[in-house]
């Protein structure tokens, strides 16, 4: 997974480094060779901004009015969310809070940083919803051991959430479930460690939220945007 992750950063010129979907390292070798050839023929890109350290990033975030994600020494400003995004996030927190409190877990919406290491790179993300049940995971500003991560998809983030974040989050030993929620239609994708991170797709019904010993219905998720 580390080699695949590093190769994807080499290939893509995007605001965020782009990871390859599962299997791409084997299935798309010819395609990536073609990309490398076309990349070589392109004009030299402008120099990347200087890298900053993890401590510099954290110090800057403490005083910044804009949130930034941090990937391998580079920072990327986050855009604002839509009304539907906010309503879905609120509904998720509302539905999951009783179970989180019962298990003495902590539930966060968008403002808590997640720190992880992937392919030798330090990364900080801001998941839309995150639960941590580890009593040792109580840093005031950073979570390292979540058991549940939820991302609400938008046109600008869906590719990132389905590719690099899906792969990156799988490296977190404590993570049990990763849920992707679409905004514009009633549809979710659930990835669970217990099922080998295979996609489980729902348009209706109830989803298991194993780390909180509870379930989550699509009616609850979309209660305010129906």
């Amino acid at each position: 997974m580390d080699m695949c992750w590093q190769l994807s950063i080499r290939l893509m010129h995007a605001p965020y480094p782009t990871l390859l979907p599962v299997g791409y390292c084997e299935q798309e070798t010819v395609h990536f060779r073609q990309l490398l050839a076309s990349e070589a023929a392109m004009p030299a890109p402008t120099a990347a901004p200087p890298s900053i350290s993890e401590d510099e990033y954290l110090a800057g975030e403490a005083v910044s009015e804009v949130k930034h994600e941090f990937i391998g020494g580079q920072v990327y400003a986050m855009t604002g969310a839509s009304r539907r995004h906010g309503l879905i996030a609120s509904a998720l927190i509302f539905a999951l809070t009783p179970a989180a409190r019962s298990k003495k877990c902590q539930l966060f919406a968008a403002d808590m940083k997640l720190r992880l290491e992937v392919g030798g790179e330090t990364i900080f993300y801001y998941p839309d919803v995150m639960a941590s049940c580890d009593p040792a995971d109580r840093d005031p500003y950073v979570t390292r051991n979540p058991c549940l991560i939820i991302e609400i998809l938008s046109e600008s983030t869906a590719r990132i959430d389905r590719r690099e974040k899906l792969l990156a989050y799988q490296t977190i030993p404590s993570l049990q479930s990763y849920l992707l929620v679409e905004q514009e239609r009633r549809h979710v994708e659930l990835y669970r460690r217990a099922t080998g991170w295979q996609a489980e797709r729902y348009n209706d019904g109830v989803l298991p939220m194993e780390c909180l010993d509870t379930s989550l219905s699509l009616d609850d998720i979309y209660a305010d945007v129906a």
Side-chain angles (χ1 to χ4, degrees):
M1 184 179 296
D2 290 352
M3 291 181 65
C4 187
W5 193 86
Q6 292 167 356
L7 175 60
S8 66
I9 292 179
R10 171 75 179 92
L11 291 175
M12 299 297 179
H13 297 287
Y16 294 81
T18 301
L19 295 179
L20 311 179
V22 175
Y24 263 38
C25 285
E26 292 78 15
Q27 299 172 9
E28 299 294 331
T29 302
V30 173
H31 175 59
F32 290 127
R33 285 176 177 168
Q34 292 171 345
L35 280 176
L36 285 173
S38 62
E39 186 184 68
M42 294 172 61
T46 57
S51 296
I52 66 171
S53 69
E54 179 179 336
D55 288 342
E56 290 171 327
Y57 163 72
L58 292 172
E61 285 297 277
V63 298
S64 176
E65 295 182 359
V66 177
K67 292 185 296 185
H68 301 79
E69 293 186 329
F70 175 92
I71 302 172
Q74 301 296 321
V75 295
Y76 303 92
M78 300 180 66
T79 59
S82 70
R83 181 180 295 271
R84 290 180 68 88
H85 182 289
L87 290 170
I88 292 171
S90 296
L92 286 163
I93 293 293
F94 181 81
L96 295 173
T97 291
R101 286 177 175 166
S102 176
K103 287 201 65 179
K104 300 188 184 305
C105 300
Q106 295 186 341
L107 201 59
F108 303 100
D111 290 326
M112 174 61 74
K113 289 181 285 294
L114 168 65
R115 185 190 189 279
L116 60 158
E117 297 275 346
V118 181
E121 301 282 3
T122 299
I123 298 174
F124 285 89
Y125 289 133
Y126 283 93
D128 290 322
V129 177
M130 181 166 52
S132 173
C133 296
D134 182 353
D137 187 23
R138 295 295 183 262
D139 184 279
Y141 302 106
V142 178
T143 287
R144 291 175 171 81
N145 302 317
C147 60
L148 169 66
I149 294 175
I150 304 175
E151 298 285 9
I152 301 167
L153 302 178
S154 68
E155 185 175 347
S156 63
T157 66
R159 178 175 58 88
I160 297 164
D161 293 336
R162 284 195 171 105
R163 294 185 178 185
E164 57 260 52
K165 287 188 177 180
L166 173 59
L167 288 178
Y169 290 160
Q170 289 177 35
T171 68
I172 304 171
S174 60
L175 190 70
Q176 296 184 36
S177 301
Y178 177 42
L179 179 63
L180 297 176
V181 179
E182 295 205 16
Q183 290 189 60
E184 303 303 329
R185 64 174 179 140
R186 187 183 171 98
H187 181 80
V188 303
E189 299 168 23
L190 178 62
Y191 299 85
R192 294 187 290 153
R193 185 176 299 277
T195 59
W197 303 112
Q198 297 300 308
E200 303 170 50
R201 297 179 172 86
Y202 297 80
N203 295 316
D204 205 354
V206 177
L207 294 70
M209 295 285 102
E210 294 162 327
C211 87
L212 298 178
D213 292 337
T214 191
S215 58
L216 179 66
S217 74
L218 267 74
D219 287 344
D220 288 337
I221 295 172
Y222 292 102
D224 300 319
V225 295

PDB file of all heavy atoms in Angstrom, residues 77-92:
ATOM      1  N   ALA A  77      -5.855  24.557   2.079  1.00  0.00           N
ATOM      2  CA  ALA A  77      -7.002  25.212   2.699  1.00  0.00           C
ATOM      3  C   ALA A  77      -8.278  24.448   2.382  1.00  0.00           C
ATOM      4  O   ALA A  77      -8.468  23.937   1.280  1.00  0.00           O
ATOM      5  CB  ALA A  77      -7.110  26.655   2.208  1.00  0.00           C
ATOM      6  N   MET A  78      -9.168  24.391   3.350  1.00  0.00           N
ATOM      7  CA  MET A  78     -10.447  23.706   3.186  1.00  0.00           C
ATOM      8  C   MET A  78     -11.529  24.718   2.845  1.00  0.00           C
ATOM      9  O   MET A  78     -11.548  25.831   3.374  1.00  0.00           O
ATOM     10  CB  MET A  78     -10.802  22.954   4.462  1.00  0.00           C
ATOM     11  CG  MET A  78      -9.787  21.894   4.849  1.00  0.00           C
ATOM     12  SD  MET A  78     -10.253  21.035   6.370  1.00  0.00           S
ATOM     13  CE  MET A  78     -11.747  20.187   5.829  1.00  0.00           C
ATOM     14  N   THR A  79     -12.426  24.318   1.965  1.00  0.00           N
ATOM     15  CA  THR A  79     -13.532  25.199   1.575  1.00  0.00           C
ATOM     16  C   THR A  79     -14.707  25.023   2.514  1.00  0.00           C
ATOM     17  O   THR A  79     -14.795  24.046   3.257  1.00  0.00           O
ATOM     18  CB  THR A  79     -13.973  24.889   0.136  1.00  0.00           C
ATOM     19  OG1 THR A  79     -14.392  23.523   0.060  1.00  0.00           O
ATOM     20  CG2 THR A  79     -12.823  25.122  -0.836  1.00  0.00           C
ATOM     21  N   GLY A  80     -15.631  25.967   2.467  1.00  0.00           N
ATOM     22  CA  GLY A  80     -16.828  25.876   3.290  1.00  0.00           C
ATOM     23  C   GLY A  80     -17.781  24.802   2.792  1.00  0.00           C
ATOM     24  O   GLY A  80     -17.708  24.354   1.648  1.00  0.00           O
ATOM     25  N   ALA A  81     -18.692  24.379   3.666  1.00  0.00           N
ATOM     26  CA  ALA A  81     -19.638  23.312   3.343  1.00  0.00           C
ATOM     27  C   ALA A  81     -20.989  23.898   2.952  1.00  0.00           C
ATOM     28  O   ALA A  81     -21.338  25.026   3.309  1.00  0.00           O
ATOM     29  CB  ALA A  81     -19.803  22.374   4.536  1.00  0.00           C
ATOM     30  N   SER A  82     -21.772  23.091   2.233  1.00  0.00           N
ATOM     31  CA  SER A  82     -23.105  23.508   1.813  1.00  0.00           C
ATOM     32  C   SER A  82     -24.112  23.354   2.955  1.00  0.00           C
ATOM     33  O   SER A  82     -23.832  22.719   3.984  1.00  0.00           O
ATOM     34  CB  SER A  82     -23.570  22.655   0.632  1.00  0.00           C
ATOM     35  OG  SER A  82     -23.827  21.319   1.054  1.00  0.00           O
ATOM     36  N   ARG A  83     -25.288  23.896   2.763  1.00  0.00           N
ATOM     37  CA  ARG A  83     -26.352  23.753   3.759  1.00  0.00           C
ATOM     38  C   ARG A  83     -26.714  22.265   3.961  1.00  0.00           C
ATOM     39  O   ARG A  83     -26.874  21.805   5.087  1.00  0.00           O
ATOM     40  CB  ARG A  83     -27.594  24.536   3.318  1.00  0.00           C
ATOM     41  CG  ARG A  83     -28.757  24.471   4.315  1.00  0.00           C
ATOM     42  CD  ARG A  83     -29.930  25.264   3.787  1.00  0.00           C
ATOM     43  NE  ARG A  83     -29.601  26.686   3.695  1.00  0.00           N
ATOM     44  CZ  ARG A  83     -29.766  27.564   4.684  1.00  0.00           C
ATOM     45  NH1 ARG A  83     -30.262  27.170   5.845  1.00  0.00           N
ATOM     46  NH2 ARG A  83     -29.460  28.837   4.506  1.00  0.00           N
ATOM     47  N   ARG A  84     -26.866  21.532   2.856  1.00  0.00           N
ATOM     48  CA  ARG A  84     -27.202  20.113   2.967  1.00  0.00           C
ATOM     49  C   ARG A  84     -26.121  19.350   3.725  1.00  0.00           C
ATOM     50  O   ARG A  84     -26.414  18.470   4.545  1.00  0.00           O
ATOM     51  CB  ARG A  84     -27.411  19.500   1.580  1.00  0.00           C
ATOM     52  CG  ARG A  84     -28.667  19.978   0.870  1.00  0.00           C
ATOM     53  CD  ARG A  84     -28.809  19.330  -0.498  1.00  0.00           C
ATOM     54  NE  ARG A  84     -29.070  17.902  -0.403  1.00  0.00           N
ATOM     55  CZ  ARG A  84     -30.289  17.369  -0.290  1.00  0.00           C
ATOM     56  NH1 ARG A  84     -31.361  18.150  -0.252  1.00  0.00           N
ATOM     57  NH2 ARG A  84     -30.436  16.064  -0.244  1.00  0.00           N
ATOM     58  N   HIS A  85     -24.887  19.669   3.444  1.00  0.00           N
ATOM     59  CA  HIS A  85     -23.768  19.054   4.155  1.00  0.00           C
ATOM     60  C   HIS A  85     -23.912  19.276   5.659  1.00  0.00           C
ATOM     61  O   HIS A  85     -23.794  18.337   6.461  1.00  0.00           O
ATOM     62  CB  HIS A  85     -22.452  19.639   3.642  1.00  0.00           C
ATOM     63  CG  HIS A  85     -21.227  19.046   4.253  1.00  0.00           C
ATOM     64  ND1 HIS A  85     -20.849  19.268   5.562  1.00  0.00           N
ATOM     65  CD2 HIS A  85     -20.273  18.234   3.724  1.00  0.00           C
ATOM     66  CE1 HIS A  85     -19.730  18.641   5.812  1.00  0.00           C
ATOM     67  NE2 HIS A  85     -19.358  17.998   4.724  1.00  0.00           N
ATOM     68  N   GLY A  86     -24.168  20.508   6.038  1.00  0.00           N
ATOM     69  CA  GLY A  86     -24.310  20.827   7.457  1.00  0.00           C
ATOM     70  C   GLY A  86     -25.475  20.121   8.115  1.00  0.00           C
ATOM     71  O   GLY A  86     -25.375  19.650   9.262  1.00  0.00           O
ATOM     72  N   LEU A  87     -26.596  20.030   7.406  1.00  0.00           N
ATOM     73  CA  LEU A  87     -27.770  19.357   7.963  1.00  0.00           C
ATOM     74  C   LEU A  87     -27.522  17.858   8.141  1.00  0.00           C
ATOM     75  O   LEU A  87     -27.936  17.260   9.143  1.00  0.00           O
ATOM     76  CB  LEU A  87     -28.978  19.597   7.065  1.00  0.00           C
ATOM     77  CG  LEU A  87     -29.529  21.030   7.063  1.00  0.00           C
ATOM     78  CD1 LEU A  87     -30.562  21.202   5.955  1.00  0.00           C
ATOM     79  CD2 LEU A  87     -30.143  21.376   8.421  1.00  0.00           C
ATOM     80  N   ILE A  88     -26.862  17.250   7.179  1.00  0.00           N
ATOM     81  CA  ILE A  88     -26.558  15.831   7.296  1.00  0.00           C
ATOM     82  C   ILE A  88     -25.573  15.582   8.432  1.00  0.00           C
ATOM     83  O   ILE A  88     -25.737  14.636   9.218  1.00  0.00           O
ATOM     84  CB  ILE A  88     -26.024  15.289   5.959  1.00  0.00           C
ATOM     85  CG1 ILE A  88     -27.138  15.284   4.908  1.00  0.00           C
ATOM     86  CG2 ILE A  88     -25.452  13.885   6.123  1.00  0.00           C
ATOM     87  CD1 ILE A  88     -26.663  14.980   3.497  1.00  0.00           C
ATOM     88  N   ALA A  89     -24.561  16.433   8.544  1.00  0.00           N
ATOM     89  CA  ALA A  89     -23.594  16.280   9.638  1.00  0.00           C
ATOM     90  C   ALA A  89     -24.277  16.405  10.993  1.00  0.00           C
ATOM     91  O   ALA A  89     -24.020  15.618  11.919  1.00  0.00           O
ATOM     92  CB  ALA A  89     -22.481  17.317   9.500  1.00  0.00           C
ATOM     93  N   SER A  90     -25.162  17.376  11.124  1.00  0.00           N
ATOM     94  CA  SER A  90     -25.888  17.552  12.391  1.00  0.00           C
ATOM     95  C   SER A  90     -26.756  16.339  12.703  1.00  0.00           C
ATOM     96  O   SER A  90     -26.837  15.896  13.855  1.00  0.00           O
ATOM     97  CB  SER A  90     -26.753  18.816  12.327  1.00  0.00           C
ATOM     98  OG  SER A  90     -25.957  19.973  12.186  1.00  0.00           O
ATOM     99  N   ALA A  91     -27.415  15.789  11.676  1.00  0.00           N
ATOM    100  CA  ALA A  91     -28.263  14.619  11.880  1.00  0.00           C
ATOM    101  C   ALA A  91     -27.438  13.410  12.318  1.00  0.00           C
ATOM    102  O   ALA A  91     -27.873  12.619  13.175  1.00  0.00           O
ATOM    103  CB  ALA A  91     -29.030  14.301  10.600  1.00  0.00           C
ATOM    104  N   LEU A  92     -26.259  13.251  11.750  1.00  0.00           N
ATOM    105  CA  LEU A  92     -25.388  12.146  12.145  1.00  0.00           C
ATOM    106  C   LEU A  92     -24.966  12.270  13.611  1.00  0.00           C
ATOM    107  O   LEU A  92     -25.018  11.292  14.370  1.00  0.00           O
ATOM    108  CB  LEU A  92     -24.150  12.119  11.248  1.00  0.00           C
ATOM    109  CG  LEU A  92     -24.370  11.607   9.819  1.00  0.00           C
ATOM    110  CD1 LEU A  92     -23.214  12.014   8.925  1.00  0.00           C
ATOM    111  CD2 LEU A  92     -24.533  10.088   9.813  1.00  0.00           C
TER     112      LEU A  92
END
